[in-house]
Amino acid sequence: MKIKKRFTGFILVAVIALVVLVAICIYLFMERGKHSDAEIPLERLSEGGEYRFEGLEWGISAEEAAKQLSFEIELDEYKNAYEGAVGTTFYKAEHSFALDGQSAIATLEFQDGELAIVKFDFDFHEEQNYEQWFEALVEEMLRLYGEESRKLENANDQFQSLVYIWETEQTMLQITLMTGDSIYPGALVGVGRKP
């Protein structure tokens, strides 16, 4: 009788341990999925002849955008405290995005409570070949959206920038590469309504 009780107790403990182990594995799998980089859909930055992201209409509120997005957004306390202009509020995605192996932070900019800009900021390490990455990005954008409307180059003692802009009457698409001795290299992909 004692052996049977011990054996039953052992099985009960083993079953409980197995259930806990399975629950932990499921939790870790789900958490990993939440924080993995989502690929930026370059081919979907235009819809109905206008530039936009994930079909969001320009001028909607942060609450409306949050309902429509496939990811969570939260107030960007840092940008709102240090970079915000009067009437501008920044939100950021709770997970990062990627483009050809480079991670980016997504930011949504609301001007006077209305969605005005969606952008992806990339930061590079000095040893990364960011210029080759940017050249490949430019080629892909030219393939997808045709010749750019404007190309701007800026160079001074502090930094250099190279900007490609595609425009419609209402909206624009912009990609930018920033380099220089006084800044870390970075890039930007953004869509927005015209002011």
Side-chain angles (χ1 to χ4, degrees):
M1 190 61 120
K2 280 186 173 181
I3 293 175
K4 192 173 184 181
K5 281 186 177 181
R6 284 187 198 164
F7 184 72
T8 303
F10 174 76
I11 290 179
L12 183 60
V13 168
V15 168
I16 291 171
L18 183 61
V19 168
V20 168
L21 181 62
V22 168
I24 290 172
C25 288
I26 290 171
Y27 173 78
L28 291 175
F29 178 77
M30 291 175 71
E31 283 300 305
R32 185 185 70 166
K34 285 182 186 175
H35 299 293
S36 61
D37 291 347
E39 194 68 21
I40 298 170
L42 292 179
E43 68 281 350
R44 292 191 352 235
L45 295 177
S46 177
E47 183 180 300
E50 295 294 337
Y51 296 109
R52 65 184 75 237
F53 178 71
E54 285 200 0
L56 294 176
E57 294 292 329
W58 299 115
I60 63 173
S61 68
E63 293 76 22
E64 291 170 322
K67 289 177 189 174
Q68 295 178 36
L69 290 168
S70 60
F71 54 89
E72 300 291 322
I73 58 173
E74 62 185 4
L75 274 172
D76 188 331
E77 300 294 340
Y78 176 81
K79 281 193 176 188
N80 286 315
Y82 297 103
E83 295 181 25
V86 174
T88 302
T89 306
F90 297 95
Y91 284 78
K92 64 181 178 178
E94 289 186 356
H95 70 274
S96 60
F97 287 80
L99 182 59
D100 292 334
Q102 298 295 328
S103 289
I105 302 298
T107 302
L108 285 77
E109 188 174 317
F110 295 83
Q111 296 170 354
D112 297 320
E114 297 181 346
L115 180 62
I117 297 171
V118 178
K119 66 180 180 174
F120 300 90
D121 292 299
F122 299 85
D123 290 322
F124 302 103
H125 301 290
E126 286 292 335
E127 64 277 0
Q128 289 176 299
N129 194 343
Y130 50 85
E131 290 168 335
Q132 182 179 3
W133 178 90
F134 188 75
E135 287 172 10
L137 174 61
V138 170
E139 286 179 25
E140 180 64 9
M141 298 302 255
L142 291 170
R143 185 186 71 74
L144 290 168
Y145 300 111
E147 186 176 342
E148 73 276 4
S149 304
R150 292 184 284 154
K151 177 181 175 184
L152 309 170
E153 294 183 61
N154 182 19
N156 61 39
D157 293 341
Q158 303 298 316
F159 72 94
Q160 296 84 42
S161 66
L162 178 57
V163 182
Y164 289 82
I165 300 170
W166 289 261
E167 294 179 288
T168 69
E169 283 190 31
Q170 304 293 319
T171 60
M172 58 191 289
L173 165 66
Q174 176 178 320
I175 59 174
T176 304
L177 177 66
M178 295 159 289
T179 60
D181 294 334
S182 64
I183 63 169
Y184 287 106
L188 159 78
V189 174
V191 290
R193 67 179 182 185
K194 287 185 173 177

